[in-house]
DNA sequence: TTGTATGCGTTATCAG
DNA sequence: CTGATAACGCATACAA
């Protein structure tokens, strides 16, 4: 592999001049620039990023951490981030934490060691205090997930509003008995609390209260959805509608409901979250709350690059629109 | 960020000794080893990978390139690779080529610059000659996709057999008019030729021939599947069964078929490929050909690590089992 | 406008 | 068993 010295030798110039050409510095005569460029091409030269990193400064590489890449929501989010970054000349390194605190920290270590300029976190597993320690080594941006204090730039959606819209929609369809199914917990402070709030707000506006038996926490997959449906079927007092935190879970509920010969939405109305491809695959098609994945990716990269160019940037949060998509399941 | 000198200073030893401890070299007394370990912990020291890379040798990082991460088959393949690598103490950097030759080469450049020890390619966009040029800088392994010559280790499936099983199954169900839908081309040499061969073999064994009008090439998504179905509906002479190269496309066909009030499998039988989650989500559930994604990931990492430890390893190919899963769509 | 010398953090070589 | 030193490839301060 050719290095900068080889290029210098072949072009008959110094390493410094070559370096200047590589980095588009001024004060290089056009003639010599040509010479260098020619030599670079001839040798198939690529600057060695490890050396550049070691030396300091930028890597034009951005890390993205997702909990699970097999989750279609995160796959499409990663996709949109990657495309946006590529347009701006940045490479993207992806890693999945598998919801494991250790792995999350291992990936953040890339910052410490300057392998990436910044990291976009789409989920956060450790306490913020843990993660904050890494922010002095590089830029951290939260996209999708978030923390309560305004201590780091965040790209987020008004989850409260999204859940509110969904719940209200069910109420307007005449439902009085609505179950709630979340990937997080159902309390004031845990994961997914915004959605909880939005949901409860819609209910309390019309004087409704949720039956605690109809709350399902920590549900993520199609399989989880099927299990939820089975549990509901065994209840004496069944809900007539289900609000879920993911299209996957909603899809599972629909599949199992049909298996049990329930008619949707007549016997049971279901609403999803995310507007993933599965929403249009299941039959009946899923009413859901759309998260604007493409915008999230683009905004993340935009803000990340801004952060990199200006390390002392003021911390700002960005909120993207969230929207109810009505299909056949409600 | 603490470096090796800091550790040396704090422990009162030389950088060399610290380095020896880090790399588990022999000839370090237990006492000094303890000392170093303690200092490392105290400073929260992590060796700087850029420096290690620059110096040469291994990075314990493996790259994986996929065409599109939003394709669930590749997402799950990446997932299984990542899990297997993590078990072995390797980090995985993922990148998507988006079926773009340039991007593929850009990622291969990570080899040239020693940012990764090896790259697992799950798809190959450029001609092999192009890619081969990079193999002198690091290990390249093909998983899923492949080339004809035995010039690089490959983890592959007997696609010919898979397609053969699928086609034969349709024939055994009594179908005489079978359409063929592929993500590649339909010729002797192009993408997907193995499946073509397997498909044709099954047909010719019973003296059948495919109607050229029933061949659909370059089909990938659910949306593509819907379009295929629409085209079929406009035909005078319609097939009674469709063989597809992906569960996504098969799913799209099913959705559109139901939209048009066809009964599956009575009016039309459909068979998918991959056994992705969608296969059990659509209604009726999809008969499909299972690709053993988990095994592919594990075997890839196993072979890759073997390659890294022994650069002059003999090139071998590995074939994994492929299997027909019969559900409701046939 | 160009070149020389230095150091980034690590590990291999060689000398004790 | 331990340590001093050079080298990996690059970019910058400084000198010319």
């Amino acid at each position: 592999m050719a290095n900068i010295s080889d290029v210098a030798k072949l072009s008959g110039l110094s390493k410094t001049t070559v370096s200047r050409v590589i980095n588009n510095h001024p004060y290089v005569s056009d003639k010599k620039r040509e010479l260098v460029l020619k030599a670079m091409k001839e040798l198939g030269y690529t600057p060695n990023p490890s050396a550049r990193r070691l030396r300091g400064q930028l890597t034009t590489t951005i890390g993205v951490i997702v909990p699970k890449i097999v989750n279609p929501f995160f796959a499409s989010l990663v996709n949109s981030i990657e495309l946006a970054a590529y347009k701006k000349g940045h490479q993207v390194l992806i890693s999945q934490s598998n919801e494991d605190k250790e792995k999350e920290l291992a990936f953040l270590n890339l910052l410490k060691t300057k392998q990436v300029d910044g990291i976009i976190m789409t989920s956060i597993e450790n306490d913020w205090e843990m993660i904050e320690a890494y922010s002095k080594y590089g830029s951290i941006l939260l996209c999708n997930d978030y923390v309560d204090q305004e201590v780091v730039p965040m790209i987020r959606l008004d989850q409260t509003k999204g859940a509110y819209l969904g719940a209200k929609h069910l109420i307007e369809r005449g439902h009085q008995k609505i179950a709630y199914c979340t990937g997080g917990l159902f309390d004031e402070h845990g994961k997914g609390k915004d959605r909880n709030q939005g949901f409860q707000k819609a209910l309390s506006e019309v004087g409704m209260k949720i039956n605690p038996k109809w709350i399902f926490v920590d549900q993520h997959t199609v399989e989880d959805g099927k299990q939820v449906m089975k549990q509901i079927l065994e209840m004496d007092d069944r809900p007539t509608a289900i609000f879920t935190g993911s299209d996957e879970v909603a899809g599972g509920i629909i599949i199992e409901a049909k298996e049990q010969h329930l008619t949707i939405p007549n016997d049971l109305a279901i609403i999803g979250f995310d507007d993933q491809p599965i929403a249009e695959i299941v039959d009946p098609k899923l009413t859901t709350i759309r998260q604007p994945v493409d915008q999230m990716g683009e905004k993340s990269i935009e803000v990340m690059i801004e952060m990199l160019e200006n390390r002392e940037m003021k911390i700002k949060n960005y909120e993207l629109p969230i929207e109810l998509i009505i299909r056949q399941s409600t």
Side-chain angles (χ1 to χ4, degrees), chain A:
Chain A
M1 177 69 195
N3 63 28
I4 198 171
S5 299
D6 298 330
V7 178
K9 209 173 295 169
L10 182 60
S11 61
L13 295 165
S14 73
K15 292 195 293 179
T16 309
T17 303
V18 176
S19 173
R20 287 204 177 95
V21 172
I22 295 169
N23 298 286
N24 281 315
H25 279 291
Y27 303 128
V28 181
S29 66
D30 286 351
K31 266 184 220 163
K32 312 227 163 177
R33 186 183 301 278
E34 295 290 325
L35 240 43
V36 171
L37 257 20
K38 190 168 146 254
M40 289 190 356
K41 183 166 290 180
E42 200 169 324
L43 294 167
Y45 168 73
T46 316
N48 182 321
S50 294
R52 305 181 94 167
R53 275 163 209 187
L54 186 55
R55 193 64 233 291
Q57 322 324 339
L58 296 194
T59 64
T60 64
T61 303
I62 293 169
V64 178
I65 188 163
V66 296
K68 287 183 189 294
I69 195 67
V70 290
N71 179 323
F73 170 71
F74 288 104
S76 56
L77 182 54
V78 160
N79 178 57
S80 76
I81 290 175
E82 199 272 336
L83 293 178
Y86 184 71
K87 267 196 244 164
K88 302 279 191 174
H90 287 256
Q91 213 179 4
V92 170
L93 298 183
I94 304 156
S95 185
Q96 69 175 347
S97 70
N98 234 306
E99 301 181 354
D100 177 321
K101 295 187 181 195
E102 298 279 327
K103 276 199 195 181
E104 182 174 271
L105 295 180
F107 192 69
L108 286 167
N109 245 319
L110 293 183
L111 280 180
K112 245 186 173 176
T113 55
K114 301 219 176 173
Q115 300 202 67
V116 296
D117 300 330
I119 287 183
I120 297 173
M121 304 183 72
T122 66
S123 77
I124 131 171
E125 306 298 335
N126 288 275
D127 291 335
W128 173 248
E129 289 67 37
M130 272 289 173
I131 293 169
E132 190 166 32
Y134 289 85
S135 66
K136 61 167 172 276
Y137 302 115
S139 303
I140 293 180
L141 170 68
L142 265 39
C143 172
N144 179 52
D145 208 346
Y146 63 94
V147 292
D148 285 324
Q149 318 88 310
E150 210 168 276
V151 286
V152 56
M154 297 184 257
I155 311 295
R156 40 176 300 197
L157 302 157
D158 190 341
Q159 304 282 344
T160 310
K161 181 180 160 202
Y164 174 80
L165 289 176
K168 196 165 170 206
H169 170 69
L170 292 175
I171 293 168
E172 284 170 358
R173 284 279 203 259
H175 293 280
Q176 300 279 339
K177 299 157 80 172
I178 304 175
Y180 184 81
C181 192
T182 171
L185 305 170
F186 194 81
D187 62 31
E188 290 290 301
H189 305 292
K191 219 174 187 176
K193 64 177 163 28
D194 285 9
R195 294 188 187 175
N196 299 346
Q197 278 171 16
F199 177 77
Q200 302 215 50
K201 180 173 167 226
L203 265 61
S204 62
E205 274 182 7
V206 294
M208 280 170 62
K209 267 197 121 177
I210 186 167
N211 180 338
K213 285 186 184 158
W214 297 337
I215 297 171
F216 301 85
V217 300
D218 199 24
Q219 306 295 323
H220 299 92
T221 66
V222 171
E223 191 48 44
D224 290 340
K226 291 184 184 174
Q227 296 305 323
V228 165
M229 189 64 236
K230 283 182 185 158
Q231 288 181 49
I232 287 177
L233 281 169
E234 286 173 3
M235 293 179 178
D236 296 328
D237 186 18
R238 292 187 200 165
T240 61
I242 308 180
F243 176 102
T244 73
S246 111
D247 288 346
E248 313 285 307
V249 174
I253 292 175
I254 288 184
I255 292 166
E256 185 64 27
K258 285 198 303 185
E259 197 94 353
Q260 307 292 341
H261 307 294
L262 292 185
T263 317
I264 294 167
N266 294 349
D267 296 334
L268 188 69
I270 297 159
I271 189 163
F273 215 109
D274 289 349
D275 196 24
Q276 283 300 303
I278 187 180
E280 298 204 85
I281 291 172
V282 290
D283 177 28
K285 293 176 183 169
L286 205 50
T287 292
T288 189
I289 293 141
R290 170 177 297 164
Q291 309 225 48
V293 169
D294 291 346
Q295 284 180 55
M296 292 168 79
E298 272 176 31
K299 193 74 189 169
S300 294
I301 289 299
E302 181 190 322
V303 175
M304 174 56 81
I305 288 178
E306 204 179 324
M307 289 170 76
L308 295 177
E309 286 171 353
N310 172 13
R311 278 303 308 262
E312 299 313 322
M313 195 182 112
K314 200 166 130 262
I315 291 170
K316 263 193 286 185
N317 292 345
Y318 303 84
E319 198 170 288
L320 266 27
I322 197 163
E323 161 191 23
L324 178 68
I325 308 289
I326 300 174
R327 295 203 181 90
Q328 306 158 344
S329 69
T330 54

